[in-house]
C-alpha cells in the first residue's frame, strides 16, 4: 500500500490545477507547500491546522491515515519551524505543509491554540497582506481551507479536521456515497444523550451571539461539532465561504465567543447551509457516518451514572482496542479521542507504529 500510494502521488506530479475563478481570488495565497511538493488536483484531500507538535503527535494523525491506504493529499498548515524529526517525517509522508506565520494581538497570557481571545493576523498568507482584523486561528483556518480547495477538481472530496484529537481506522472516502442525489456535505454531531445545545453552557452561549432567543430556539438540537466536516470540493467551498462570510459579519470573538462552533451550528440549525446552491447537507448523529465524535461521553458535566469506559459502559470498544460505531463496525475516523486518553492512546500509537514498521519493510 505504501508503494502504491507513493506511485500515485508521483504520477500526479505536474498535473495542472483547475483554472482560478473569481470566487477563488479573495483566498489566493502567496505560499506554496514545502519541499517542492504539489497538490494532486484529482485526489481526495484531508486538511487541517496542525503546528507545534512532536513527531509522535503528527504520526497519530498522519500515520494512522496513511495506514488505511488513503492515497490522496494531506494538507497541513504547519508553520515554518518544526520540532526534532518532524520535518523529515512530514516530507517522507508527502504531506503538503504550509509554513504560515501570524502575529498575536491577544491579551498577554490568554492565548490558546485555536481559541485566541483577541485573535491573530496572518503575516505571510496573502500576497497583498491580511485585510482582516485580528481573529482566532479557529476562524482563520477556514480561509486556509478555502484556499486549498481551489486546487482540486469538482470530482474530489475533502475533509477538514481538528488535528490533535483525531485518528483514523478506515479510509473514510471509500465509505461515502458520491451518487448525484446523495448528500455532498456531511456534518457530525456529538452524543445527544449527554449533550444538547440546551445542556451545554458553551454551545448555548456561542449561539447567543445571534441574540438571546437563538439558543432557546435550538436548545433541544444536537451539538454539531465543527472539528470535522466532509464534502465534495464544490460543496465544501461553499460551506467555507459561508463560514468566513458569517465570521466577518458577526465577529463573535468581540463578545467573548472565540469558537468557530457557534457559526457552524447557527448556519446548520437555521437552514442556511441547506440553502446554498447545489449543496445537499446532512447531519450524522454520533456513532453514525464516517466520523465518530466521542468526547462529550466523558465530559465532567455528565452525571457519573451516565458515563464510564468505552468498552464496558458504552460498548463501543472491542477487545483489540478498535473504536466502534453503534452498528458494531469499526469507526472510520475517531474525533475527540483525548477525552478517553488512557483508553485510546496505546491503540493509536500501535496503529501508527505498525504503519511505519511496514513502510520500512516494504
Amino acid at each position: 500500500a505504501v508503494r502504491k500510494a507513493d506511485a500515485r502521488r508521483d504520477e500526479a506530479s505536474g498535473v495542472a490545477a483547475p483554472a482560478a475563478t473569481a470566487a477563488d481570488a479573495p483566498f489566493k495565497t502567496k505560499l506554496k507547500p514545502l519541499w517542492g511538493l504539489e497538490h494532486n488536483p484529482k485526489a481526495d484531500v484531508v486538511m487541517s491546522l496542525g503546528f507545534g507538535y512532536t513527531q509522535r503527535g503528527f504520526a497519530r494523525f498522519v500515520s494512522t491515515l496513511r495506514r488505511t491506504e488513503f492515497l490522496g493529499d494531506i494538507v497541513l498548515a504547519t508553520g515554518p519551524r518544526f520540532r526534532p524529526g518532524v520535518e523529515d517525517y512530514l516530507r517522507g509522508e508527502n504531506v503538503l505543509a504550509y509554513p504560515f506565520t501570524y502575529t498575536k494581538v491577544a491579551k498577554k497570557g490568554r492565548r490558546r491554540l485555536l481559541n485566541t481571545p483577541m485573535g491573530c493576523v496572518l503575516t505571510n498568507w496573502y500576497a497583498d497582506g491580511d485585510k482582516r482584523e485580528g481573529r482566532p486561528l479557529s476562524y482563520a483556518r477556514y480561509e486556509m481551507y478555502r484556499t486549498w480547495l481551489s486546487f482540486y477538481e469538482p470530482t474530489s472530496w475533502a475533509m477538514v479536521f481538528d488535528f490533535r484529537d483525531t485518528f483514523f481506522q478506515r479510509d473514510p472516502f471509500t465509505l461515502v456515497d458520491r451518487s448525484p442525489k446523495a448528500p455532498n456535505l456531511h456534518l457530525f454531531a456529538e452524543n445527544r444523550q449527554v449533550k444538547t445545545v440546551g445542556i451545554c453552557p458553551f454551545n448555548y452561549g456561542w449561539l447567543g451571539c445571534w441574540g438571546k432567543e437563538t439558543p432557546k430556539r435550538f436548545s433541544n438540537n444536537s451539538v454539531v461539532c465543527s472539528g470535522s466536516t466532509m464534502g465534495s470540493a464544490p460543496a465544501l467551498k461553499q460551506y467555507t465561504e459561508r463560514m468566513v462570510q458569517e465570521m466577518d459579519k458577526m465577529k463573535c470573538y468581540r463578545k467573548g465567543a472565540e469558537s468557530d462552533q457557534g457559526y457552524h451550528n447557527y448556519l446548520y440549525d437555521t437552514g442556511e447551509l441547506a440553502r446554498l446552491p447545489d449543496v445537499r447537507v446532512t447531519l450524522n448523529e454520533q456513532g453514525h457516518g464516517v466520523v465518530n465524535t466521542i468526547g462529550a461521553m466523558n465530559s465532567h458535566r455528565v452525571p457519573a451514572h451516565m458515563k464510564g469506559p468505552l468498552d464496558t459502559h458504552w460498548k463501543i470498544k472491542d477487545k483489540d482496542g478498535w473504536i466502534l460505531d453503534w452498528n458494531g463496525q469499526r469507526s472510520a475516523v475517531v474525533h475527540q479521542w483525548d477525552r478517553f486518553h488512557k483508553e485510546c492512546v496505546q491503540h493509536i500509537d500501535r496503529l501508527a507504529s505498525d504503519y511505519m514498521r511496514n513502510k520500512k519493510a516494504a
Side-chain angles (χ1 to χ4, degrees):
V2 172
R3 288 175 177 169
K4 184 167 60 176
D6 288 342
R8 176 166 171 173
R9 288 191 290 276
D10 288 343
E11 290 171 2
S13 178
V15 176
T21 66
D24 295 331
F27 300 96
K28 185 177 180 180
T29 183
K30 66 179 181 180
L31 292 180
K32 292 185 177 181
L34 294 171
W35 316 307
L37 298 178
E38 298 175 344
H39 294 262
N40 178 355
K42 299 181 181 298
D44 294 327
V45 56
V46 171
M47 304 182 291
S48 188
L49 169 67
F51 65 99
Y53 296 102
T54 64
Q55 182 176 336
R56 176 175 288 185
F58 277 101
R60 287 170 176 166
F61 187 98
V62 174
S63 288
T64 61
L65 177 54
R66 288 294 187 217
R67 185 189 180 278
T68 69
E69 300 191 10
F70 172 68
L71 302 179
D73 285 352
I74 302 175
V75 188
L76 301 178
T78 61
R81 293 180 295 275
F82 300 101
R83 297 172 74 169
V86 170
E87 182 172 3
D88 288 342
Y89 169 75
L90 294 178
R91 182 165 47 194
E93 294 304 321
N94 292 285
V95 171
L96 299 166
Y98 277 74
F100 83 104
T101 58
Y102 65 97
T103 57
K104 295 181 291 183
V105 291
K107 291 181 179 179
K108 186 177 180 181
R110 294 191 63 200
R111 176 183 176 270
R112 288 179 289 170
L113 180 60
L114 289 179
N115 295 335
T116 308
M118 294 301 291
C120 299
V121 173
L122 302 178
T123 51
N124 68 346
W125 193 261
Y126 296 107
D128 56 350
D130 188 349
K131 305 303 183 184
R132 292 181 172 85
E133 68 182 32
R135 67 264 187 216
L137 287 179
S138 60
Y139 288 32
R141 61 179 174 169
Y142 289 86
E143 301 163 48
M144 299 176 181
Y145 298 156
R146 179 57 184 85
T147 297
W148 294 331
L149 286 164
S150 68
F151 297 120
Y152 293 91
E153 297 284 356
T155 52
S156 294
W157 275 60
M159 299 189 79
V160 298
F161 284 110
D162 288 345
F163 185 82
R164 178 182 53 83
D165 58 358
T166 300
F167 77 95
F168 301 83
Q169 299 185 134
R170 304 162 69 191
D171 181 350
F173 294 97
T174 64
L175 304 173
V176 67
D177 182 356
R178 306 192 193 203
S179 59
K181 295 185 179 181
N184 60 3
L185 183 64
H186 289 260
L187 311 185
F188 304 95
E190 302 188 40
N191 183 287
R192 67 169 289 111
Q193 179 181 343
V194 298
K195 187 176 185 179
T196 60
V197 168
I199 292 174
C200 178
F202 293 107
N203 286 276
Y204 192 93
W206 295 331
L207 281 173
C209 182
W210 288 265
K212 63 181 181 180
E213 295 302 316
T214 300
K216 294 179 183 178
R217 179 182 170 192
F218 302 118
S219 62
N220 194 45
N221 285 26
S222 297
V223 171
V224 189
C225 182
S226 62
S228 58
T229 305
M230 182 186 205
S232 68
L236 214 56
K237 280 183 181 180
Q238 293 207 62
Y239 160 75
T240 52
E241 287 174 13
R242 189 64 184 85
M243 285 284 284
V244 172
Q245 180 187 51
E246 195 70 17
M247 290 168 175
D248 286 345
K249 173 186 174 183
M250 295 302 296
K251 296 180 171 62
C252 295
Y253 54 86
R254 291 181 177 178
K255 306 175 186 179
E258 305 95 13
S259 176
D260 57 309
Q261 190 153 292
Y263 298 91
H264 189 69
N265 279 263
Y266 176 79
L267 293 177
Y268 175 74
D269 289 340
T270 58
E272 287 290 313
L273 295 181
R275 285 189 282 274
L276 293 172
D278 299 316
V279 170
R280 300 177 299 278
V281 63
T282 189
L283 177 62
N284 299 271
E285 292 292 343
Q286 182 270 320
H288 302 273
V290 299
V291 178
N292 192 355
T293 304
I294 63 176
M297 298 152 72
N298 203 33
S299 169
H300 68 276
R301 291 184 176 82
V302 179
H305 72 278
M306 293 181 66
K307 64 180 179 180
L310 291 171
D311 51 1
T312 57
H313 178 80
W314 291 107
K315 302 187 186 306
I316 59 166
K317 178 184 173 185
D318 70 16
K319 62 182 179 61
D320 297 315
W322 298 92
I323 306 303
L324 309 174
D325 292 335
W326 294 117
N327 63 7
Q329 298 293 311
R330 291 175 181 174
S331 304
V333 188
V334 182
H335 184 214
Q336 297 182 351
W337 68 266
D338 60 326
R339 280 66 156 183
F340 290 92
H341 187 277
K342 290 184 179 179
E343 296 184 61
C344 293
V345 68
Q346 289 185 347
H347 170 62
I348 299 167
D349 288 343
R350 182 172 62 251
L351 295 180
S353 296
D354 285 350
Y355 166 77
M356 292 304 294
R357 183 167 52 252
N358 291 336
K359 181 177 180 180
K360 289 179 180 178

